[in-house]
Amino acid sequence: MDKINIKEILNWRYTTKAFDSDKKISSENEENIKALLQMSPSSINSQPWHFIISSTEKGKERLAKGTSGFFSFNESKVLNASHVVLFCAKTDINENYLKHVTEKEDRDGRFAKEEFKTQNLGAKNIFTNIHRFDLKDAQHWMDKQVYLNIGNFLLGVAALGIDAVPMEGIDIKALDEEFGLREKGFTSLVMVGLGYRAADDFNAGLPKSRLSEEEIFTEI
Ligand SMILES: Cc1cc2nc3c(=O)[nH]c(=O)nc-3n(C[C@H](O)[C@H](O)[C@H](O)COP(=O)(O)O)c2cc1C
């Protein structure tokens, strides 16, 4: 694997507030974007997500239904982006779904023996039931897996030289209705606009700001 300059990428990326609507992401990078979304790790490989991806005017207009009213500060980011991804989380996790994931792992050659598959499914059920019943935080747990994907994604697209804006400022209810997500067992969480920064994006020229190393690290 080639070495990358991670600090350079971390400092190059920033939250893009204005996209150049004439610049479009290539089809090769579309495939890379899908790979980032699909290959993100998740607890017990649960992959409790779905992604709505749009690069068309019509699709972006539908996604912009989640950026009206109070959320209109995000609207132009959706409409001028080359591509937009709506990250959605599952709303239910149960044994049937875990079996479905485990069957796919089996087809992908993850289990040398049938008993490994049985053990694996058992472990998945134990972890899942801790969240469903003991902690009663199954939704929160699934949302966390999706957020992990978003973090992975933001760094990944930056490594591809693609600008991005993550948006929590979206109308979840409007988006869920627009795409019939709740009926399908999903709910929207975060939208990410992708593309290339506009020459006049004020945010591109601002210095990065993070809490100091002294404050955030304890080295022992
Ligand atoms: C989960 C998440 C949600 C965010 N929501 C919005 C948003 O709705 N609109 C926006 O302009 N920026 C949003 N941001 C951008 C943050 O304000 C930004 O990441 C932070 O200030 C650090 O700046 P940087 O990304 O430029 O390094 C969001 C960031 C994250 C990680």
Side-chain angles (χ1 to χ4, degrees), residues 88-106:
C88 309
K90 268 177 78 63
T91 52
D92 182 34
I93 186 158
N94 56 35
E95 191 166 2
N96 273 346
Y97 176 73
L98 297 174
K99 272 189 191 149
H100 165 65
V101 172
T102 310
E103 288 301 336
K104 178 70 169 78
E105 290 173 337
D106 194 18

Side-chain angles (χ1 to χ4, degrees), residues 15 39 206:
T15 290
M39 300 308 284
L206 294 177

Side-chain angles (χ1 to χ4, degrees), residues 206-217:
L206 294 177
K208 282 258 177 209
S209 175
R210 294 294 191 266
L211 297 176
S212 71
E213 290 192 13
E214 293 71 40
E215 185 172 343
I216 67 166
F217 299 130

